[in-house]
Amino acid sequence: MTQPHATKVLVIGYVWPEPRSSAASGHVMQILETLLQQGWDITFSSPAGTGEHRADLTALGIREVPIELNNSSFDDFVRELAPDIVLFDQFMMEEQFGWRVEKHCSDALRVLETSDLQSLRHARHQRLKDRLKASDDNNDFNELFAPALREEFELMADTDLAKREIAALYRCDLNLMISEVEIELLVEQFNMPRNLLHWCPLMVESPSVPPATFEDRAHFLSIGNFRHAPNWDAVLWMKTTIWPLIREQLPNAQLHIYGAYTPPKATALHNAAQGFHVMNWAEDALQVMSAARVCLAPLRFGAGIKGKIVDAMLCGTPNVTTPIGAEAMYGEHSWPGAIAHTAQEFANNAVQLYKDESCWKDAQSFGQTLLNDRYQRSIHGPALIEKLLYCQQHLPQLRRDNFTGSMLRHHHNKSTQYMAQWIEAKNRNPL
């Protein structure tokens, strides 16, 4: 009697995962580990170059296959692999490879891992740029932090990026969303069917050892990949406005800023005399987070949910952030630190948490409760598998019901195929 073959999953990554460099890569690794636990056969492919901090997927039993953009060799690869599920990591990978997947394995379940809504993040970035041009007030950004979903929609709706991204979501059978706010935005404002969206936040396991105590910690910490624009903007806001306000109240305070791929413009901000230390990449982010007393995340724009704040909760480190940083992260729970709307409020809250042990302990406790209730792998891992299996079993009906997606896939596949053929011909016969 023949045994049924293990479910074959092809993951097409925007980059090779670097879980110690970005929360997005960390989330991809959490999904991969969840699929591995099912005994599924996983192949990871990417057209990106290999980064210096990439994870060793082969050690986990995942096959690694580099691929190229606009190269028909992918056709032979995907035809031979014949995956049951294709997971696109970020919508650009669906744009580039989705039509080839459709051409050679149309029955494969198409899943998109969004990380965050990039069109929302970019629209918010533009709103911040407009605000900075219009006013030299570097303190109060409250107007950026609490827009209604309708305002967000109007900010996004006319952009090419939103049209591309949301079309890719429709073309997939299931989209993994890290933020409940983004789900509501898509459903209520863009009229996307809710059954195309699945809430899959960061998935972690509670720490097995107690966190370091208040007395055993020192200094403020900020962490985040410098290639991620919201992180770089947060560093600038700290340097120019927030950190001087903190130092007015705590003259000996020290801030340690960690981030992968530190550019010269960041190292140029290092100033030991001001207690402003740009530390480059952290070999172990959880170790440095555990040694800090307070985590600072002054994000003025962004989307999704914040891996640095989940890490802070894992380490029992209270944080101070903005409504952007806290968005979609805590539901009805108390925040594990403080949420500030102005630079002055941010600095005051940071100082209070740093000095007040009772307040600090309460924030630490809130973080542990929040972590247990919203981010447990034991909850979200099985839910993800259950959803994938359901979609596989009901795929014909799901695609029939998603007529808009079928229509967009039809036209995208035709137009992209013609463009790819033109590019390949031009590459073969350059002028």
Side-chain angles (χ1 to χ4, degrees):
M1 181 176 178
T2 60
Q3 296 294 322
H5 78 274
T7 297
K8 290 191 287 186
V9 182
L10 170 62
V11 182
I12 303 178
Y14 180 66
V15 296
W16 297 95
E18 295 188 12
R20 293 185 296 169
S21 299
S22 74
S25 281
H27 192 232
V28 169
M29 291 300 296
Q30 292 163 4
I31 292 171
L32 292 176
E33 290 162 2
T34 299
L35 304 183
L36 283 172
Q37 289 174 358
Q38 291 296 114
W40 291 356
D41 183 352
I42 303 175
T43 300
F44 193 102
S45 297
S46 178
T50 56
E52 58 185 288
H53 307 308
R54 63 173 293 188
D56 185 357
L57 299 180
T58 58
L60 299 174
I62 298 173
R63 195 177 302 108
E64 295 183 354
V65 180
I67 53 179
E68 295 181 3
L69 298 174
N70 301 313
N71 192 320
S72 59
S73 62
F74 180 84
D75 295 8
D76 297 332
F77 160 63
V78 75
R79 187 189 306 113
E80 181 179 347
L81 182 63
D84 303 293
I85 299 174
V86 178
L87 174 64
F88 302 101
D89 169 31
Q90 302 193 31
F91 82 91
M92 296 86 75
M93 294 299 95
E94 190 280 337
E95 281 187 327
Q96 290 287 341
F97 296 99
W99 70 274
R100 294 187 187 274
V101 169
E102 178 77 7
K103 180 180 178 181
H104 299 292
C105 47
S106 61
D107 292 336
L109 180 69
R110 298 160 62 105
V111 183
L112 176 57
E113 199 284 306
T114 60
S115 293
D116 64 8
L117 273 182
Q118 295 189 37
S119 51
L120 174 61
R121 170 159 43 88
H122 282 259
R124 286 174 167 174
H125 194 183
Q126 185 59 51
R127 181 165 56 197
L128 173 62
K129 292 176 181 177
D130 293 342
R131 158 64 175 78
L132 293 174
K133 289 178 182 178
S135 172
D136 58 4
D137 174 16
N138 215 24
N139 176 57
D140 188 350
F141 292 88
N142 191 48
E143 65 196 63
L144 304 183
F145 292 151
L149 291 182
R150 186 65 190 179
E151 292 180 53
E152 301 286 32
F153 168 76
E154 291 177 354
L155 196 66
M156 299 166 62
D158 293 333
T159 66
D160 289 342
L161 189 60
K163 293 169 185 175
R164 289 172 52 205
E165 184 169 30
I166 292 171
L169 297 180
Y170 266 109
R171 288 193 297 265
C172 289
D173 304 306
L174 185 66
N175 299 280
L176 307 184
M177 307 298 300
I178 205 167
S179 163
E180 292 167 304
V181 168
E182 292 175 3
I183 291 176
E184 295 309 309
L185 175 64
L186 290 170
V187 171
E188 295 178 11
Q189 302 302 323
F190 288 93
N191 298 315
M192 179 167 283
R194 192 177 290 272
N195 68 347
L196 291 179
L197 310 172
H198 177 72
W199 183 46
C200 184
L202 297 172
M203 301 180 285
V204 299
E205 297 174 357
S206 297
S208 57
V209 297
T213 65
F214 179 86
E215 296 84 0
D216 291 337
R217 297 169 180 252
H219 310 317
F220 294 94
L221 174 140
S222 181
I223 193 166
N225 191 324
F226 284 106
R227 289 180 176 174
H228 192 53
N231 292 335
W232 171 239
D233 177 74
V235 171
L236 291 177
W237 196 26
M238 281 191 292
K239 176 69 173 182
T240 60
T241 308
I242 293 173
W243 187 242
L245 293 172
I246 292 175
R247 290 275 286 192
E248 285 179 6
Q249 300 180 61
L250 295 175
N252 296 319
Q254 306 293 309
L255 171 61
H256 295 166
I257 300 173
Y258 293 90
Y261 302 104
T262 309
K265 64 181 181 180
T267 54
L269 300 180
H270 178 87
N271 190 318
Q274 297 174 352
F276 198 90
H277 304 273
V278 179
M279 308 292 288
N280 208 329
W281 183 66
E283 181 72 26
D284 187 335
L286 296 182
Q287 183 181 47
V288 297
M289 182 71 78
S290 296
R293 186 173 289 179
V294 177
C295 172
L296 304 181
L299 296 159
R300 294 191 287 190
F301 73 98
I305 63 175
K306 310 304 177 288
K308 59 176 68 65
I309 292 177
V310 171
D311 284 349
M313 290 188 283
L314 280 169
C315 298
T317 307
N319 75 85
V320 186
T321 190
T322 65
I324 291 290
E327 182 177 84
M329 291 203 67
Y330 64 112
E332 301 299 321
H333 292 75
S334 297
W335 185 250
I339 302 171
H341 298 76
T342 70
Q344 187 64 65
E345 183 185 3
F346 195 102
N348 293 345
N349 286 326
V351 170
Q352 182 182 15
L353 276 171
Y354 197 87
K355 294 171 62 177
D356 187 332
E357 183 174 359
S358 176
C359 179
W360 187 91
K361 286 182 175 178
D362 286 343
Q364 185 183 75
S365 177
F366 294 152
Q368 292 169 343
T369 300
L370 180 54
L371 202 64
N372 291 334
D373 288 354
R374 284 180 67 87
Y375 298 103
Q376 287 299 305
R377 184 194 299 269
S378 60
I379 297 172
H380 296 292
L384 173 59
I385 297 300
E386 181 181 356
K387 186 68 173 182
L388 293 173
L389 293 175
Y390 175 86
C391 290
Q392 279 189 293
Q393 293 164 7
H394 299 86
L395 187 56
Q397 185 62 49
L398 292 173
R399 287 186 172 174
R400 194 173 301 118
D401 292 342
N402 181 21
F403 177 79
T404 299
S406 297
M407 177 178 62
L408 289 170
R409 196 159 57 245
H410 171 79
H411 288 289
H412 176 77
N413 293 345
K414 293 292 185 182
S415 60
T416 309
Q417 180 177 354
Y418 295 147
M419 179 61 70
Q421 290 171 345
W422 180 84
I423 291 173
E424 287 194 49
K426 185 175 181 181
N427 289 339
R428 286 194 299 268
N429 301 292
L431 295 178

